[in-house]
Amino acid sequence: MRKKLGIPFALASLMLLLSGCSSVNKPITPESTGVWNEYIVYPLSWVITQFAEMMGNNYGLSIVVVTILIRLALLPLMIKQTRSSKAMQDIQPELQKLREKYSSKDATTQQKLQQETMQLFQSHGVNPLAGCLPLVIQMPILLGFYHAIMRTQEIKNHSFLWFDLGNPDPIYALPIIAGITTFLQQKIMMGGTNNPNPQMKMLLYIMPVMIVVFAINFPAALSLYWVIGNMFMIVQTYFITAPNRKKTNQLDRGAKK
């Protein structure tokens, strides 16, 4: 049970850490010190401000544009990560069979399990660590953009569409959309709800709920960022995994015949 709860708990802890981080409440300015502020948060805040000024001080539209630009810049890394995740998902049934075959906890059996697992990875050309590096590179940028949105004072003084960027969405539309798009993005990445990995199944339902809860309490500017980022990821994941889905459907039709 602890294993199943490991990933959701880690993500929940990360979200709580972000929401409770004292620096989030400190405005970002050119005078802000520290490597994190000077080289990541402030440059992103400056970009948001510059785009907003070019768009008639429309900070909401600026967040939309900058979010898309950042996602486009990270696209090569995201493609690599998505393909790696998909490859790992495809071999999960075979991994499960190996675990059942070598279920004994003695050292000799576990060593045999590790050897055959590595052979399985090699035969399918899968590197279990291939998705880690792109994630490590992306996280500081995405986290920095989160800080830039939360700490740019000008954002709090503007509105966009029906909501004030500095306050939670009064009609909860953005939090609900953020939750729905999070669910859709994860479902497409998992290839549906019939994923054999229990952790992934749990994440499919837990993460959207977490996003809704946080979005209800966070400024609408951050909810807007989540919604646009999720929508971009849905389109991106759909097109990246489309060839695999087409191949799977062809194999299924051939098997039925």
Side-chain angles (χ1 to χ4, degrees):
M1 185 66 179
R2 288 181 181 177
K3 271 189 172 183
K4 293 180 181 179
L5 293 175
I7 294 178
F9 180 77
L11 289 170
S13 301
L14 176 61
M15 296 295 287
L16 288 172
L17 177 64
L18 293 180
S19 63
C21 185
S22 60
S23 64
V24 173
N25 298 318
K26 295 179 181 179
I28 188 71
T29 68
E31 288 73 36
S32 298
T33 58
V35 174
W36 173 249
N37 289 327
E38 291 180 41
Y39 295 100
I40 296 180
V41 181
Y42 179 71
L44 289 169
S45 174
W46 181 85
V47 170
I48 294 172
T49 302
Q50 292 301 307
F51 272 94
E53 290 178 356
M54 288 189 291
M55 298 171 182
N57 282 331
N58 192 328
Y59 279 84
L61 187 57
S62 175
I63 290 172
V64 171
V65 171
V66 177
T67 299
I68 293 173
L69 290 176
I70 288 177
R71 290 292 181 177
L72 285 171
L74 294 174
L75 188 57
L77 292 173
M78 290 301 298
I79 290 174
K80 185 174 182 179
Q81 182 187 342
T82 302
R83 286 177 175 169
S84 176
S85 299
K86 186 66 175 63
M88 284 296 295
Q89 289 174 25
D90 290 341
I91 65 171
Q92 283 302 312
E94 295 179 66
L95 282 173
Q96 186 59 35
K97 289 179 181 178
L98 285 178
R99 294 189 187 105
E100 292 172 357
K101 181 180 178 181
Y102 300 104
S103 57
S104 175
K105 299 298 182 182
D106 66 85
T108 303
T109 303
Q110 288 301 302
Q111 184 177 8
K112 185 67 175 176
L113 172 60
Q114 291 178 8
Q115 290 174 350
E116 293 207 17
T117 299
M118 291 306 298
Q119 290 175 2
L120 178 64
F121 288 154
Q122 291 174 0
S123 64
H124 287 273
V126 173
N127 182 353
L129 300 179
C132 295
L133 181 59
L135 185 62
V136 169
I137 296 173
Q138 292 171 58
M139 283 306 294
I141 299 173
L142 297 178
L143 181 56
F145 193 44
Y146 159 87
H147 270 250
I149 291 172
M150 294 291 286
R151 298 171 61 189
T152 301
Q153 288 297 100
E154 291 85 352
I155 291 177
K156 298 179 180 180
N157 302 322
H158 289 79
S159 60
F160 182 64
L161 299 177
W162 68 89
F163 50 86
D164 293 328
L165 293 170
N167 298 309
D169 182 355
I171 63 174
Y172 306 128
L174 278 178
I176 293 172
I177 296 172
I180 292 172
T181 52
T182 298
F183 175 82
L184 292 175
Q185 185 253 315
Q186 289 187 119
K187 185 175 181 180
I188 292 173
M189 182 171 286
M190 293 177 190
T193 56
N194 296 321
N195 193 290
N197 190 324
Q199 292 181 347
M200 299 304 289
K201 281 185 178 179
M202 189 172 295
L203 277 177
L204 180 62
Y205 297 101
I206 290 179
M207 278 302 295
V209 174
M210 288 173 54
I211 290 294
V212 171
V213 171
F214 281 104
I216 286 174
N217 296 283
F218 279 14
L222 189 61
S223 300
L224 177 64
Y225 161 56
W226 278 337
V227 168
I228 300 303
N230 284 342
M231 292 175 68
F232 186 96
M233 287 288 292
I234 288 171
V235 175
Q236 167 193 292
T237 306
Y238 178 83
F239 283 105
I240 292 173
T241 59
N244 289 327
R245 287 197 307 275
K246 185 177 180 181
K247 182 178 179 181
T248 301
N249 292 336
Q250 290 174 344
L251 291 174
D252 289 342
R253 285 195 295 267
K256 289 178 181 178
K257 292 178 181 179

